[in-house]
Amino acid sequence: MAQSGLENCCSKLINDELCCQKEKDGVLKDASPKIFPDKIYKSVQPKGVDATGMTCECGVFGAIACGDYPTQLDIAQMICLGLVALQHRGQESAGIVTSLGKCSKNFSVHKGMGMINNLFNDEAIRKLKGNLGIGHTRYSTSAASEVVNCQPFVVHTAHGALAIAHNGELVNCESLRREVLERGVGLSTHSDSELIAQSLCCAPEDVSEHDGPNWPARIRHFMTLAPLSYSLVVMHKDKIYAVRDSYGNRPLCLGKIVPVDAGHANINEQLAEGWVVSSESCGFLSIGARYVREVEPGEIIELSRNGYRTVDIVERPDYKRMAFCIFEYVYFARSDSMFEGQMVYSARLQCGRQLAREFPLDADLVSSVPESGTAAAHGYARESGLPFGEVLCKNRYVGRTFIQPSNRLRQLGVAKKFGALAQNVEGKRIVLVDDSIVRGNTIGPIIKLLRDAGAIEVHIRIASPPLQYPCYMGINIPTREELIANKLNADQLADHVGADSLAYLSVEGLVKAVQMNKAHVNPLKAGYCTACLTGEYPGGLPEELSW
């Protein structure tokens, strides 16, 4: 990249505009290294989070009003509700940045540690005046859980303020970091999101900007330097750019804000009051928006008061296939979200059906570990012809912190989380379906709970293949040493946890299941990242970090 003047290259974090909430007692803020084969890769495991499974990455959301400003839409409240719908993607911190769309110098900012409902009260929302804005809810992967890493990031450039929110993790962040530092740009965090923001502050060498910054060209240049993994929302003055990496690894979709009384009319016939972009579509209906489509891999969409348009598409190499994270279907996404023209719930249902075909069983009852395995359990029951029934009751009031149990209570394991429905269990041969097994800490106590309630057989069926490899693209999957599938095969694990049998869905079966109901697409433009299952990474292994 060329340096088009010191003021054009250098940018600084906005400190005077931040309205960060102070960290509360007990807020998670420690980081610990995550050990991968032959590498140390910085990540965090927050205090208070159960060390039993995977943790998702982040959620991004943006909204812009159409027509003349000031708008009648409460943009800040709309973004807040959108983030609440994405809360399952991250619970450590959140933030919203809004713009009036008239001045490029200042944005309104509010962000901090904690859950969205604790951060954004009526007073905070009133201060976030604007006709457009972006938001973020975070689970940290590559930087510590601290206020300084809360998103969206806001930087001052020679052309005004720029805000960015990011979902994913840059595989080649080390080389990009070196390039930014060599230009004399200082970085105040280890966050990939700040790195992206600073990268966008410098114009590429072959781009003329006599009439002002060419943000699509800057974004495109960044995308050629960093192939994956990210979905981005970028805001500058009166525009929002929605960006998805060329592999389509992280999800991003577009929605249309319609009048409250629009009903179920054809989406193309409905008046647009505004546009939204989100990691998932699950919150659209609650804010009066309708799902339009996914942002395509490599696509840069510009949203303005006049609508939206595709300004560029960055193609991946011809020999590379799309690599959408398949665990969005299995675990991460909310079941009412839409991917590839189908609802996530329907894909999970098909996973259960495929599991029943691969591992049928003679039993009395099919049930699930609530709520993650419920859709797959229904699919297993329908395909096998066995009745579905609930056997576990989940305590919804067990939060991230809990009184330290005595040794006796520790031995009872999941008693604080689940209760057994004894009348449904006693004397039954049960097929218990769950979506995944990571460390294997939870399933054993659940089986014991069911046997204590009178179950005569407990057979475990997992609606995904065994997890054997870490993820470098924004999912906090434990190290290979911690993944139980690298220590024990299915039969050994069954003995270890006290099950009568245990079986995983095959990789081929999982891919077949998620493709069953999806909209027809060109096979050359389809594909999934199964790296955590197969060890085949779409962009190769990341560089070893030096910081």
Side-chain angles (χ1 to χ4, degrees):
M1 284 187 189
Q3 297 185 13
S4 55
L6 182 63
E7 70 281 2
N8 193 39
C9 289
C10 295
S11 58
K12 62 186 179 71
L13 285 172
I14 293 178
N15 293 319
D16 54 338
E17 294 179 316
L18 295 182
C19 303
C20 295
Q21 174 178 305
K22 293 181 179 179
E23 293 182 76
K24 298 178 180 179
D25 292 341
V27 169
L28 321 172
K29 53 183 180 178
D30 281 3
S32 56
K34 182 164 57 175
I35 309 298
F36 289 93
D38 303 320
K39 293 181 183 288
I40 295 181
Y41 199 59
K42 293 274 186 178
S43 189
V44 294
Q45 181 66 31
K47 294 177 182 177
V49 176
D50 291 332
T52 56
M54 295 174 290
T55 311
C56 197
E57 60 300 328
C58 304
V60 299
F61 195 90
I64 187 169
C66 290
D68 296 331
Y69 295 160
T71 178
Q72 298 302 308
L73 297 177
D74 192 333
I75 290 295
Q77 193 169 62
M78 196 166 285
I79 296 171
C80 185
L81 291 172
L83 292 180
V84 168
L86 298 177
Q87 186 77 87
H88 59 284
R89 300 185 71 85
Q91 300 89 42
E92 283 185 14
S93 65
I96 295 176
V97 179
T98 58
S99 169
L100 291 171
K102 299 176 182 178
C103 176
S104 62
K105 291 184 179 180
N106 296 307
F107 292 155
S108 298
V109 184
H110 185 87
K111 56 183 181 176
M113 305 301 295
M115 304 283 277
I116 293 156
N117 286 335
N118 295 329
L119 282 170
F120 295 97
N121 53 26
D122 290 341
E123 182 181 358
I125 293 295
R126 279 195 299 270
K127 291 179 179 178
L128 289 168
K129 299 183 184 301
N131 299 302
L132 65 156
I134 63 174
H136 186 269
T137 182
R138 181 174 189 259
Y139 177 86
S140 57
T141 51
S142 63
S145 178
E146 298 172 344
V147 169
V148 69
N149 290 314
C150 295
Q151 295 185 44
F153 268 102
V154 183
V155 295
H156 278 309
T157 77
H159 307 288
L162 184 75
I164 184 168
H166 167 223
N167 167 213
E169 197 161 355
L170 298 180
V171 172
N172 67 330
C173 64
E174 178 69 353
S175 61
L176 198 61
R177 180 174 294 273
R178 283 196 301 268
E179 183 172 336
V180 168
L181 293 174
E182 286 170 1
R183 292 201 307 261
V185 176
L187 297 171
S188 60
T189 73
H190 289 304
S191 169
D192 288 352
S193 306
E194 186 196 2
L195 186 58
I196 296 169
Q198 299 288 13
S199 298
L200 296 179
C201 289
C202 290
E205 193 173 59
D206 56 347
V207 173
S208 174
E209 295 191 331
H210 297 300
D211 299 325
N214 187 335
W215 294 112
R218 293 182 181 212
I219 294 170
R220 178 184 179 85
H221 184 68
F222 160 75
M223 294 174 72
T224 61
L225 296 175
L228 49 72
S229 159
Y230 47 85
S231 286
L232 307 175
V233 285
V234 182
M235 183 173 72
H236 179 262
K237 187 182 175 181
D238 58 351
K239 290 183 175 65
I240 294 174
Y241 294 96
V243 184
R244 193 176 178 197
D245 73 54
S246 59
Y247 288 79
N249 185 252
R250 303 259 64 85
L252 196 63
C253 64
L254 183 70
K256 183 179 185 179
I257 303 172
V258 299
V260 175
D261 57 356
H264 297 285
N266 186 302
I267 184 69
N268 296 320
E269 298 173 359
Q270 295 174 354
L271 174 70
E273 293 187 339
W275 298 90
V276 292
V277 62
S278 176
S279 292
E280 296 181 38
S281 62
C282 51
F284 283 178
L285 288 177
S286 65
I287 59 171
R290 301 290 185 269
Y291 175 82
V292 175
R293 67 173 178 88
E294 289 181 281
V295 178
E296 295 295 329
E299 187 177 17
I300 305 171
I301 291 181
E302 180 187 88
L303 294 94
S304 70
R305 69 179 68 192
N306 300 316
Y308 79 93
R309 65 189 182 103
T310 299
V311 293
D312 208 344
I313 296 180
V314 179
E315 301 286 350
R316 61 185 174 273
D318 292 338
Y319 60 91
K320 293 286 189 178
R321 298 190 64 185
M322 181 177 168
F324 179 52
C325 175
I326 204 164
F327 256 81
E328 291 284 352
Y329 277 119
V330 173
Y331 181 84
F332 298 125
R334 221 170 79 170
S335 55
D336 55 337
S337 290
M338 296 285 292
F339 294 144
E340 301 180 305
Q342 66 176 329
M343 192 166 285
V344 171
Y345 181 89
S346 68
R348 291 174 180 168
L349 196 75
Q350 289 299 332
C351 286
R353 285 187 177 275
Q354 183 65 26
L355 186 59
R357 297 183 194 111
E358 294 184 7
F359 297 101
L361 199 63
D362 183 20
D364 301 310
L365 190 70
V366 176
S367 193
S368 68
V369 178
E371 283 93 6
S372 57
T374 301
H378 278 291
Y380 192 103
R382 294 180 191 182
E383 185 67 24
S384 64
L386 298 172
F388 174 88
E390 295 183 18
V391 299
L392 293 170
C393 179
K394 189 173 184 179
N395 181 355
R396 303 179 191 278
Y397 299 95
V398 175
R400 288 174 173 266
T401 58
F402 197 78
I403 57 171
Q404 290 300 312
S406 64
N407 287 335
R408 172 179 168 79
L409 291 179
R410 240 183 237 112
Q411 291 170 4
L412 293 174
V414 294
K416 67 180 182 183
K417 287 188 175 181
F418 295 106
L421 300 175
Q423 289 186 343
N424 293 354
V425 171
E426 189 172 2
K428 300 288 179 62
R429 299 169 299 166
I430 297 170
V431 180
L432 190 68
V433 180
D434 203 359
D435 57 8
S436 58
I437 291 182
V438 184
R439 290 182 175 90
N441 296 341
T442 302
I443 197 68
I446 288 176
I447 294 169
K448 183 180 186 306
L449 191 67
L450 295 176
R451 291 199 187 279
D452 289 346
I456 57 175
E457 292 180 15
V458 181
H459 301 270
I460 303 299
R461 294 293 180 266
I462 306 300
S464 66
L467 277 161
Q468 295 181 291
Y469 301 90
C471 177
Y472 301 105
M473 289 165 287
I475 307 297
N476 190 27
I477 293 180
T479 66
R480 291 199 69 181
E481 291 75 16
E482 294 175 281
L483 294 169
I484 193 69
N486 289 320
K487 300 176 182 178
L488 305 172
N489 62 31
D491 292 337
Q492 292 169 333
L493 183 55
D495 291 338
H496 178 71
V497 299
D500 291 280
S501 70
L502 187 147
Y504 296 95
L505 181 62
S506 66
V507 175
E508 297 76 17
L510 175 59
V511 173
K512 181 179 179 181
V514 301
Q515 290 180 325
M516 189 74 67
N517 295 323
K518 80 172 189 177
H520 179 72
V521 295
N522 185 337
L524 298 177
K525 295 185 177 181
Y528 301 97
C529 177
T530 58
C532 58
L533 311 174
T534 63
E536 298 174 4
Y537 296 91
L541 292 173
E543 304 159 321
E544 186 173 0
L545 303 185
S546 62
W547 42 269

